[in-house]
Structures are given as C-alpha cells and as structure tokens.
PDB file of all heavy atoms in Angstrom:
ATOM      1  N   LYS A 222     -26.293  -3.263   0.080  1.00 60.00           N
ATOM      2  CA  LYS A 222     -25.214  -3.852  -0.731  1.00 60.00           C
ATOM      3  C   LYS A 222     -23.962  -3.040  -0.591  1.00 60.00           C
ATOM      4  O   LYS A 222     -22.859  -3.597  -0.432  1.00 60.00           O
ATOM      5  CB  LYS A 222     -25.625  -3.939  -2.215  1.00 60.00           C
ATOM      6  CG  LYS A 222     -26.627  -5.018  -2.492  1.00 60.00           C
ATOM      7  CD  LYS A 222     -26.968  -5.059  -3.969  1.00 60.00           C
ATOM      8  CE  LYS A 222     -28.047  -6.117  -4.250  1.00 60.00           C
ATOM      9  NZ  LYS A 222     -28.453  -6.100  -5.646  1.00 60.00           N
ATOM     10  N   ASP A 223     -24.078  -1.688  -0.685  1.00 60.00           N
ATOM     11  CA  ASP A 223     -22.922  -0.864  -0.511  1.00 60.00           C
ATOM     12  C   ASP A 223     -22.271  -1.037   0.856  1.00 60.00           C
ATOM     13  O   ASP A 223     -21.054  -1.099   0.984  1.00 60.00           O
ATOM     14  CB  ASP A 223     -23.262   0.630  -0.684  1.00 60.00           C
ATOM     15  CG  ASP A 223     -23.492   0.978  -2.151  1.00 60.00           C
ATOM     16  OD1 ASP A 223     -23.124   0.187  -3.048  1.00 60.00           O
ATOM     17  OD2 ASP A 223     -23.998   2.072  -2.423  1.00 60.00           O
ATOM     18  N   SER A 224     -23.086  -1.108   1.902  1.00 62.00           N
ATOM     19  CA  SER A 224     -22.623  -1.298   3.246  1.00 62.00           C
ATOM     20  C   SER A 224     -21.900  -2.622   3.373  1.00 62.00           C
ATOM     21  O   SER A 224     -20.799  -2.678   3.975  1.00 62.00           O
ATOM     22  CB  SER A 224     -23.762  -1.222   4.222  1.00 62.00           C
ATOM     23  OG  SER A 224     -23.339  -1.459   5.540  1.00 62.00           O
ATOM     24  N   SER A 225     -22.446  -3.679   2.788  1.00 68.00           N
ATOM     25  CA  SER A 225     -21.809  -4.982   2.866  1.00 68.00           C
ATOM     26  C   SER A 225     -20.478  -5.009   2.114  1.00 68.00           C
ATOM     27  O   SER A 225     -19.476  -5.521   2.584  1.00 68.00           O
ATOM     28  CB  SER A 225     -22.765  -6.024   2.249  1.00 68.00           C
ATOM     29  OG  SER A 225     -22.166  -7.291   2.228  1.00 68.00           O
ATOM     30  N   LYS A 226     -20.446  -4.418   0.912  1.00 68.00           N
ATOM     31  CA  LYS A 226     -19.215  -4.313   0.173  1.00 68.00           C
ATOM     32  C   LYS A 226     -18.166  -3.516   0.911  1.00 68.00           C
ATOM     33  O   LYS A 226     -16.963  -3.847   0.956  1.00 68.00           O
ATOM     34  CB  LYS A 226     -19.450  -3.640  -1.208  1.00 68.00           C
ATOM     35  CG  LYS A 226     -20.093  -4.519  -2.244  1.00 68.00           C
ATOM     36  CD  LYS A 226     -20.292  -3.770  -3.530  1.00 68.00           C
ATOM     37  CE  LYS A 226     -21.052  -4.576  -4.548  1.00 68.00           C
ATOM     38  NZ  LYS A 226     -21.248  -3.817  -5.802  1.00 68.00           N
ATOM     39  N   ARG A 227     -18.627  -2.424   1.528  1.00 69.00           N
ATOM     40  CA  ARG A 227     -17.678  -1.579   2.292  1.00 69.00           C
ATOM     41  C   ARG A 227     -17.111  -2.334   3.484  1.00 69.00           C
ATOM     42  O   ARG A 227     -15.938  -2.229   3.774  1.00 69.00           O
ATOM     43  CB  ARG A 227     -18.446  -0.318   2.785  1.00 69.00           C
ATOM     44  CG  ARG A 227     -17.565   0.794   3.295  1.00 69.00           C
ATOM     45  CD  ARG A 227     -18.310   2.086   3.620  1.00 69.00           C
ATOM     46  NE  ARG A 227     -19.692   1.978   3.989  1.00 69.00           N
ATOM     47  CZ  ARG A 227     -20.732   2.320   3.183  1.00 69.00           C
ATOM     48  NH1 ARG A 227     -20.564   2.804   2.041  1.00 69.00           N
ATOM     49  NH2 ARG A 227     -21.994   2.146   3.641  1.00 69.00           N
ATOM     50  N   ASP A 228     -17.928  -3.138   4.173  1.00 71.00           N
ATOM     51  CA  ASP A 228     -17.466  -3.929   5.286  1.00 71.00           C
ATOM     52  C   ASP A 228     -16.403  -4.920   4.848  1.00 71.00           C
ATOM     53  O   ASP A 228     -15.384  -5.066   5.512  1.00 71.00           O
ATOM     54  CB  ASP A 228     -18.631  -4.707   5.956  1.00 71.00           C
ATOM     55  CG  ASP A 228     -19.571  -3.762   6.701  1.00 71.00           C
ATOM     56  OD1 ASP A 228     -19.209  -2.566   6.911  1.00 71.00           O
ATOM     57  OD2 ASP A 228     -20.684  -4.195   7.056  1.00 71.00           O
ATOM     58  N   VAL A 229     -16.634  -5.632   3.720  1.00 69.00           N
ATOM     59  CA  VAL A 229     -15.659  -6.553   3.211  1.00 69.00           C
ATOM     60  C   VAL A 229     -14.400  -5.836   2.801  1.00 69.00           C
ATOM     61  O   VAL A 229     -13.260  -6.261   3.099  1.00 69.00           O
ATOM     62  CB  VAL A 229     -16.234  -7.339   1.999  1.00 69.00           C
ATOM     63  CG1 VAL A 229     -15.178  -8.126   1.261  1.00 69.00           C
ATOM     64  CG2 VAL A 229     -17.357  -8.265   2.476  1.00 69.00           C
ATOM     65  N   PHE A 230     -14.549  -4.714   2.126  1.00 65.00           N
ATOM     66  CA  PHE A 230     -13.394  -3.894   1.696  1.00 65.00           C
ATOM     67  C   PHE A 230     -12.560  -3.482   2.901  1.00 65.00           C
ATOM     68  O   PHE A 230     -11.330  -3.621   2.916  1.00 65.00           O
ATOM     69  CB  PHE A 230     -13.830  -2.667   0.881  1.00 65.00           C
ATOM     70  CG  PHE A 230     -12.737  -1.720   0.532  1.00 65.00           C
ATOM     71  CD1 PHE A 230     -11.893  -2.016  -0.536  1.00 65.00           C
ATOM     72  CD2 PHE A 230     -12.523  -0.582   1.262  1.00 65.00           C
ATOM     73  CE1 PHE A 230     -10.838  -1.172  -0.837  1.00 65.00           C
ATOM     74  CE2 PHE A 230     -11.454   0.262   0.975  1.00 65.00           C
ATOM     75  CZ  PHE A 230     -10.626  -0.015  -0.085  1.00 65.00           C
ATOM     76  N   ASN A 231     -13.245  -2.967   3.921  1.00 74.00           N
ATOM     77  CA  ASN A 231     -12.516  -2.522   5.146  1.00 74.00           C
ATOM     78  C   ASN A 231     -11.812  -3.652   5.844  1.00 74.00           C
ATOM     79  O   ASN A 231     -10.686  -3.491   6.331  1.00 74.00           O
ATOM     80  CB  ASN A 231     -13.480  -1.797   6.083  1.00 74.00           C
ATOM     81  CG  ASN A 231     -13.921  -0.432   5.582  1.00 74.00           C
ATOM     82  OD1 ASN A 231     -13.250   0.164   4.731  1.00 74.00           O
ATOM     83  ND2 ASN A 231     -15.050   0.022   6.032  1.00 74.00           N
ATOM     84  N   ALA A 232     -12.471  -4.810   5.903  1.00 78.00           N
ATOM     85  CA  ALA A 232     -11.817  -5.994   6.552  1.00 78.00           C
ATOM     86  C   ALA A 232     -10.586  -6.428   5.766  1.00 78.00           C
ATOM     87  O   ALA A 232      -9.540  -6.673   6.379  1.00 78.00           O
ATOM     88  CB  ALA A 232     -12.835  -7.142   6.666  1.00 78.00           C
ATOM     89  N   ASN A 233     -10.699  -6.471   4.448  1.00 81.00           N
ATOM     90  CA  ASN A 233      -9.571  -6.814   3.626  1.00 81.00           C
ATOM     91  C   ASN A 233      -8.424  -5.779   3.710  1.00 81.00           C
ATOM     92  O   ASN A 233      -7.247  -6.136   3.746  1.00 81.00           O
ATOM     93  CB  ASN A 233      -9.971  -6.995   2.160  1.00 81.00           C
ATOM     94  CG  ASN A 233     -10.753  -8.263   1.948  1.00 81.00           C
ATOM     95  OD1 ASN A 233     -10.728  -9.157   2.748  1.00 81.00           O
ATOM     96  ND2 ASN A 233     -11.539  -8.295   0.853  1.00 81.00           N
ATOM     97  N   LYS A 234      -8.821  -4.494   3.796  1.00 84.00           N
ATOM     98  CA  LYS A 234      -7.823  -3.432   3.901  1.00 84.00           C
ATOM     99  C   LYS A 234      -7.071  -3.564   5.267  1.00 84.00           C
ATOM    100  O   LYS A 234      -5.858  -3.414   5.278  1.00 84.00           O
ATOM    101  CB  LYS A 234      -8.493  -2.062   3.770  1.00 84.00           C
ATOM    102  CG  LYS A 234      -7.505  -0.932   3.761  1.00 84.00           C
ATOM    103  CD  LYS A 234      -8.167   0.326   3.269  1.00 84.00           C
ATOM    104  CE  LYS A 234      -7.286   1.549   3.313  1.00 84.00           C
ATOM    105  NZ  LYS A 234      -5.913   1.422   3.119  1.00 84.00           N
ATOM    106  N   GLU A 235      -7.816  -3.877   6.310  1.00 90.00           N
ATOM    107  CA  GLU A 235      -7.180  -4.072   7.612  1.00 90.00           C
ATOM    108  C   GLU A 235      -6.177  -5.208   7.588  1.00 90.00           C
ATOM    109  O   GLU A 235      -5.100  -5.113   8.139  1.00 90.00           O
ATOM    110  CB  GLU A 235      -8.235  -4.310   8.701  1.00 90.00           C
ATOM    111  CG  GLU A 235      -8.978  -3.090   9.114  1.00 90.00           C
ATOM    112  CD  GLU A 235     -10.079  -3.400  10.137  1.00 90.00           C
ATOM    113  OE1 GLU A 235      -9.968  -4.397  10.874  1.00 90.00           O
ATOM    114  OE2 GLU A 235     -11.060  -2.597  10.225  1.00 90.00           O
ATOM    115  N   LYS A 236      -6.554  -6.312   6.969  1.00 92.00           N
ATOM    116  CA  LYS A 236      -5.655  -7.448   6.853  1.00 92.00           C
ATOM    117  C   LYS A 236      -4.413  -7.085   6.009  1.00 92.00           C
ATOM    118  O   LYS A 236      -3.274  -7.425   6.382  1.00 92.00           O
ATOM    119  CB  LYS A 236      -6.350  -8.639   6.203  1.00 92.00           C
ATOM    120  CG  LYS A 236      -7.416  -9.273   7.093  1.00 92.00           C
ATOM    121  CD  LYS A 236      -8.218 -10.342   6.357  1.00 92.00           C
ATOM    122  CE  LYS A 236      -9.387 -10.766   7.191  1.00 92.00           C
ATOM    123  NZ  LYS A 236     -10.252 -11.737   6.438  1.00 92.00           N
ATOM    124  N   GLY A 237      -4.667  -6.395   4.906  1.00 90.00           N
ATOM    125  CA  GLY A 237      -3.547  -5.937   4.076  1.00 90.00           C
ATOM    126  C   GLY A 237      -2.606  -5.015   4.831  1.00 90.00           C
ATOM    127  O   GLY A 237      -1.367  -5.166   4.757  1.00 90.00           O
ATOM    128  N   ASN A 238      -3.148  -4.075   5.592  1.00 93.00           N
ATOM    129  CA  ASN A 238      -2.357  -3.135   6.375  1.00 93.00           C
ATOM    130  C   ASN A 238      -1.543  -3.898   7.447  1.00 93.00           C
ATOM    131  O   ASN A 238      -0.363  -3.548   7.658  1.00 93.00           O
ATOM    132  CB  ASN A 238      -3.217  -2.071   7.011  1.00 93.00           C
ATOM    133  CG  ASN A 238      -3.743  -1.072   6.064  1.00 93.00           C
ATOM    134  OD1 ASN A 238      -3.270  -0.948   4.900  1.00 93.00           O
ATOM    135  ND2 ASN A 238      -4.785  -0.332   6.456  1.00 93.00           N
ATOM    136  N   ALA A 239      -2.147  -4.888   8.072  1.00 96.00           N
ATOM    137  CA  ALA A 239      -1.439  -5.676   9.097  1.00 96.00           C
ATOM    138  C   ALA A 239      -0.262  -6.430   8.514  1.00 96.00           C
ATOM    139  O   ALA A 239       0.811  -6.484   9.098  1.00 96.00           O
ATOM    140  CB  ALA A 239      -2.409  -6.623   9.788  1.00 96.00           C
ATOM    141  N   PHE A 240      -0.455  -6.998   7.305  1.00 96.00           N
ATOM    142  CA  PHE A 240       0.657  -7.701   6.653  1.00 96.00           C
ATOM    143  C   PHE A 240       1.730  -6.734   6.196  1.00 96.00           C
ATOM    144  O   PHE A 240       2.922  -7.049   6.303  1.00 96.00           O
ATOM    145  CB  PHE A 240       0.112  -8.593   5.499  1.00 96.00           C
ATOM    146  CG  PHE A 240       1.202  -9.415   4.888  1.00 96.00           C
ATOM    147  CD1 PHE A 240       1.956 -10.334   5.652  1.00 96.00           C
ATOM    148  CD2 PHE A 240       1.531  -9.308   3.505  1.00 96.00           C
ATOM    149  CE1 PHE A 240       2.961 -11.093   5.061  1.00 96.00           C
ATOM    150  CE2 PHE A 240       2.538 -10.057   2.944  1.00 96.00           C
ATOM    151  CZ  PHE A 240       3.265 -10.966   3.732  1.00 96.00           C
ATOM    152  N   GLU A 241       1.346  -5.595   5.700  1.00 96.00           N
ATOM    153  CA  GLU A 241       2.325  -4.577   5.340  1.00 96.00           C
ATOM    154  C   GLU A 241       3.148  -4.156   6.576  1.00 96.00           C
ATOM    155  O   GLU A 241       4.341  -4.035   6.491  1.00 96.00           O
ATOM    156  CB  GLU A 241       1.651  -3.358   4.724  1.00 96.00           C
ATOM    157  CG  GLU A 241       1.106  -3.639   3.298  1.00 96.00           C
ATOM    158  CD  GLU A 241       0.239  -2.493   2.789  1.00 96.00           C
ATOM    159  OE1 GLU A 241       0.351  -1.349   3.299  1.00 96.00           O
ATOM    160  OE2 GLU A 241      -0.549  -2.729   1.848  1.00 96.00           O
ATOM    161  N   ASP A 242       2.483  -3.958   7.686  1.00 97.00           N
ATOM    162  CA  ASP A 242       3.167  -3.607   8.930  1.00 97.00           C
ATOM    163  C   ASP A 242       4.156  -4.700   9.324  1.00 97.00           C
ATOM    164  O   ASP A 242       5.288  -4.418   9.731  1.00 97.00           O
ATOM    165  CB  ASP A 242       2.182  -3.444  10.100  1.00 97.00           C
ATOM    166  CG  ASP A 242       1.364  -2.175  10.020  1.00 97.00           C
ATOM    167  OD1 ASP A 242       1.765  -1.249   9.279  1.00 97.00           O
ATOM    168  OD2 ASP A 242       0.304  -2.099  10.654  1.00 97.00           O
ATOM    169  N   TYR A 243       3.772  -5.973   9.169  1.00 97.00           N
ATOM    170  CA  TYR A 243       4.636  -7.080   9.449  1.00 97.00           C
ATOM    171  C   TYR A 243       5.904  -7.006   8.553  1.00 97.00           C
ATOM    172  O   TYR A 243       7.027  -7.134   9.047  1.00 97.00           O
ATOM    173  CB  TYR A 243       3.889  -8.421   9.198  1.00 97.00           C
ATOM    174  CG  TYR A 243       4.747  -9.627   9.250  1.00 97.00           C
ATOM    175  CD1 TYR A 243       5.139 -10.175  10.460  1.00 97.00           C
ATOM    176  CD2 TYR A 243       5.230 -10.247   8.088  1.00 97.00           C
ATOM    177  CE1 TYR A 243       5.954 -11.337  10.530  1.00 97.00           C
ATOM    178  CE2 TYR A 243       6.030 -11.370   8.112  1.00 97.00           C
ATOM    179  CZ  TYR A 243       6.369 -11.887   9.354  1.00 97.00           C
ATOM    180  OH  TYR A 243       7.164 -13.020   9.406  1.00 97.00           O
ATOM    181  N   MET A 244       5.700  -6.748   7.291  1.00 97.00           N
ATOM    182  CA  MET A 244       6.865  -6.676   6.338  1.00 97.00           C
ATOM    183  C   MET A 244       7.738  -5.468   6.660  1.00 97.00           C
ATOM    184  O   MET A 244       8.960  -5.559   6.591  1.00 97.00           O
ATOM    185  CB  MET A 244       6.383  -6.672   4.883  1.00 97.00           C
ATOM    186  CG  MET A 244       5.755  -7.928   4.400  1.00 97.00           C
ATOM    187  SD  MET A 244       6.862  -9.392   4.531  1.00 97.00           S
ATOM    188  CE  MET A 244       8.194  -8.937   3.452  1.00 97.00           C
ATOM    189  N   ILE A 245       7.127  -4.353   7.011  1.00 97.00           N
ATOM    190  CA  ILE A 245       7.921  -3.156   7.377  1.00 97.00           C
ATOM    191  C   ILE A 245       8.803  -3.443   8.581  1.00 97.00           C
ATOM    192  O   ILE A 245       9.994  -3.144   8.617  1.00 97.00           O
ATOM    193  CB  ILE A 245       6.991  -1.948   7.649  1.00 97.00           C
ATOM    194  CG1 ILE A 245       6.371  -1.440   6.356  1.00 97.00           C
ATOM    195  CG2 ILE A 245       7.768  -0.829   8.377  1.00 97.00           C
ATOM    196  CD1 ILE A 245       5.243  -0.462   6.533  1.00 97.00           C
ATOM    197  N   GLN A 246       8.221  -4.086   9.594  1.00 96.00           N
ATOM    198  CA  GLN A 246       9.007  -4.407  10.800  1.00 96.00           C
ATOM    199  C   GLN A 246      10.066  -5.446  10.518  1.00 96.00           C
ATOM    200  O   GLN A 246      11.172  -5.353  11.064  1.00 96.00           O
ATOM    201  CB  GLN A 246       8.044  -4.909  11.937  1.00 96.00           C
ATOM    202  CG  GLN A 246       7.126  -3.855  12.437  1.00 96.00           C
ATOM    203  CD  GLN A 246       7.854  -2.662  12.980  1.00 96.00           C
ATOM    204  OE1 GLN A 246       8.763  -2.762  13.805  1.00 96.00           O
ATOM    205  NE2 GLN A 246       7.500  -1.460  12.483  1.00 96.00           N
ATOM    206  N   LEU A 247       9.784  -6.396   9.653  1.00 96.00           N
ATOM    207  CA  LEU A 247      10.753  -7.429   9.294  1.00 96.00           C
ATOM    208  C   LEU A 247      11.931  -6.871   8.565  1.00 96.00           C
ATOM    209  O   LEU A 247      13.084  -7.115   8.893  1.00 96.00           O
ATOM    210  CB  LEU A 247      10.047  -8.495   8.478  1.00 96.00           C
ATOM    211  CG  LEU A 247      10.795  -9.799   8.243  1.00 96.00           C
ATOM    212  CD1 LEU A 247      11.055 -10.576   9.556  1.00 96.00           C
ATOM    213  CD2 LEU A 247       9.988 -10.714   7.314  1.00 96.00           C
ATOM    214  N   LEU A 248      11.672  -6.035   7.501  1.00 95.00           N
ATOM    215  CA  LEU A 248      12.733  -5.507   6.713  1.00 95.00           C
ATOM    216  C   LEU A 248      13.327  -4.212   7.257  1.00 95.00           C
ATOM    217  O   LEU A 248      14.532  -3.978   7.115  1.00 95.00           O
ATOM    218  CB  LEU A 248      12.207  -5.266   5.316  1.00 95.00           C
ATOM    219  CG  LEU A 248      11.782  -6.484   4.489  1.00 95.00           C
ATOM    220  CD1 LEU A 248      11.149  -6.046   3.155  1.00 95.00           C
ATOM    221  CD2 LEU A 248      12.963  -7.367   4.252  1.00 95.00           C
ATOM    222  N   GLY A 249      12.485  -3.404   7.868  1.00 93.00           N
ATOM    223  CA  GLY A 249      12.955  -2.073   8.274  1.00 93.00           C
ATOM    224  C   GLY A 249      14.019  -2.098   9.366  1.00 93.00           C
ATOM    225  O   GLY A 249      14.715  -1.129   9.579  1.00 93.00           O
ATOM    226  N   LYS A 250      14.158  -3.221  10.051  1.00 93.00           N
ATOM    227  CA  LYS A 250      15.168  -3.316  11.117  1.00 93.00           C
ATOM    228  C   LYS A 250      16.479  -3.845  10.648  1.00 93.00           C
ATOM    229  O   LYS A 250      17.448  -3.934  11.422  1.00 93.00           O
ATOM    230  CB  LYS A 250      14.600  -4.213  12.244  1.00 93.00           C
ATOM    231  CG  LYS A 250      13.393  -3.585  12.945  1.00 93.00           C
ATOM    232  CD  LYS A 250      12.837  -4.476  14.015  1.00 93.00           C
ATOM    233  CE  LYS A 250      11.648  -3.794  14.684  1.00 93.00           C
ATOM    234  NZ  LYS A 250      10.972  -4.693  15.632  1.00 93.00           N
ATOM    235  N   GLU A 251      16.550  -4.229   9.344  1.00 94.00           N
ATOM    236  CA  GLU A 251      17.749  -4.789   8.800  1.00 94.00           C
ATOM    237  C   GLU A 251      18.791  -3.655   8.515  1.00 94.00           C
ATOM    238  O   GLU A 251      18.393  -2.567   8.101  1.00 94.00           O
ATOM    239  CB  GLU A 251      17.481  -5.578   7.522  1.00 94.00           C
ATOM    240  CG  GLU A 251      16.760  -6.853   7.781  1.00 94.00           C
ATOM    241  CD  GLU A 251      17.528  -7.819   8.700  1.00 94.00           C
ATOM    242  OE1 GLU A 251      18.650  -8.247   8.329  1.00 94.00           O
ATOM    243  OE2 GLU A 251      16.989  -8.136   9.764  1.00 94.00           O
ATOM    244  N   LYS A 252      20.057  -3.998   8.685  1.00 94.00           N
ATOM    245  CA  LYS A 252      21.143  -3.025   8.437  1.00 94.00           C
ATOM    246  C   LYS A 252      21.135  -2.582   6.997  1.00 94.00           C
ATOM    247  O   LYS A 252      21.045  -3.405   6.104  1.00 94.00           O
ATOM    248  CB  LYS A 252      22.473  -3.633   8.816  1.00 94.00           C
ATOM    249  CG  LYS A 252      23.592  -2.681   8.705  1.00 94.00           C
ATOM    250  CD  LYS A 252      24.898  -3.283   9.131  1.00 94.00           C
ATOM    251  CE  LYS A 252      25.959  -2.236   8.955  1.00 94.00           C
ATOM    252  NZ  LYS A 252      27.193  -2.578   9.521  1.00 94.00           N
ATOM    253  N   GLY A 253      21.199  -1.297   6.779  1.00 94.00           N
ATOM    254  CA  GLY A 253      21.225  -0.714   5.435  1.00 94.00           C
ATOM    255  C   GLY A 253      19.880  -0.533   4.761  1.00 94.00           C
ATOM    256  O   GLY A 253      19.793  -0.026   3.671  1.00 94.00           O
ATOM    257  N   VAL A 254      18.789  -0.981   5.413  1.00 95.00           N
ATOM    258  CA  VAL A 254      17.490  -0.879   4.844  1.00 95.00           C
ATOM    259  C   VAL A 254      16.737   0.347   5.398  1.00 95.00           C
ATOM    260  O   VAL A 254      16.759   0.602   6.616  1.00 95.00           O
ATOM    261  CB  VAL A 254      16.597  -2.149   5.125  1.00 95.00           C
ATOM    262  CG1 VAL A 254      15.158  -1.952   4.636  1.00 95.00           C
ATOM    263  CG2 VAL A 254      17.234  -3.365   4.453  1.00 95.00           C
TER     264      VAL A 254
END
C-alpha cells in the first residue's frame, strides 16, 4: 500500500513539477519578471 501510494504521489509530483516548469518558462522570459 505504501509503495502504491508513493508511486501515485511521485507521478503527481512529476506532473506538478512539469506544469510549474511550464509556468516558469512562460512568465520568466517576460520583461520585468
């Protein structure tokens, strides 16, 4: 059960990190940001 929960948590964390990276690249290149 712990292993299964950990796998789901890690998959969700990876997706969250990928979306955060997307937002950083989108906003971070704007002038003044």
Side-chain angles (χ1 to χ4, degrees):
K222 285 181 182 177
D223 284 348
S224 178
S225 177
K226 283 181 184 178
R227 193 173 29 252
D228 291 346
V229 169
F230 174 79
N231 288 338
N233 288 339
K234 186 165 175 31
E235 285 178 24
K236 291 174 188 173
N238 288 344
F240 184 58
E241 289 172 18
D242 288 341
Y243 171 80
M244 292 302 297
I245 289 169
Q246 293 302 309
L247 191 63
L248 294 174
K250 294 178 180 175
E251 290 300 299
K252 185 177 179 172
V254 175

